[in-house]
Amino acid sequence: MASTSVSRTVPAPPDAVWRLVGGFGALPDWLPYIPESTALEGGRVRRLTNPDGDVIVERLVSFDEASRHYSYAILEAPFPVEDYVSTLRVHTVHGRDDLAEVQWSGRFTPRGATEEEAVDLFTGIYTDGLDALHRTLAA
């Protein structure tokens, strides 16, 4: 099983960041790669569409409001992996109430790609996503 993790400090208090990213259907609010999210099964599943029209279906597997994190599994996607589980977390930055650290991590089994290719793919997705989050919060 392969894994990757990316962290980024963003210019907003942790609670404000969590209000933006903590909703399981909130990706279109800050992630340009996902302009559409449809809630299914009472909000426990999200059907995402990217700008190319590809569909990604994900299931919420854990959610912790107090600790500001959730994990999800990919059920269907055009990615060369299986057994994918990812976590999005919002941390405090010691001594700063105007900043937060956001960590996006995942583990998965590459299928149809090398481990390096799969890790590079998700490292890029997480990096681009956290850069977009930073831009949204800095605006």
Side-chain angles (χ1 to χ4, degrees), residues 49-108:
T49 306
N50 71 17
D52 296 329
D54 295 325
V55 172
I56 303 161
V57 180
E58 300 171 336
R59 176 176 297 283
L60 185 65
V61 295
S62 69
F63 183 89
D64 189 325
E65 182 79 28
S67 296
R68 295 187 298 258
H69 68 84
Y70 70 82
S71 297
Y72 61 93
I74 289 180
L75 305 178
E76 173 189 336
F79 305 129
V81 298
E82 61 185 29
D83 303 323
Y84 175 99
V85 177
S86 182
T87 301
L88 188 65
R89 296 179 183 275
V90 178
H91 300 284
T92 59
V93 174
H94 182 69
R96 299 288 302 264
D97 58 4
D98 60 332
L99 300 175
E101 180 187 0
V102 181
Q103 178 187 30
W104 198 351
S105 61
R107 64 183 194 280
F108 40 84

Side-chain angles (χ1 to χ4, degrees), residues 6 30-32 104 123-133 135:
V6 175
W30 60 274
L31 188 61
W104 198 351
T123 300
I125 289 171
Y126 300 162
T127 300
D128 291 348
L130 295 182
D131 288 349
L133 176 61
R135 285 190 300 276

Side-chain angles (χ1 to χ4, degrees), residues 2 79-82 108-122:
F79 305 129
V81 298
E82 61 185 29
F108 40 84
T109 302
R111 288 290 181 252
T114 67
E115 183 171 316
E116 182 180 356
E117 290 168 336
V119 167
D120 287 350
L121 171 68
F122 287 103

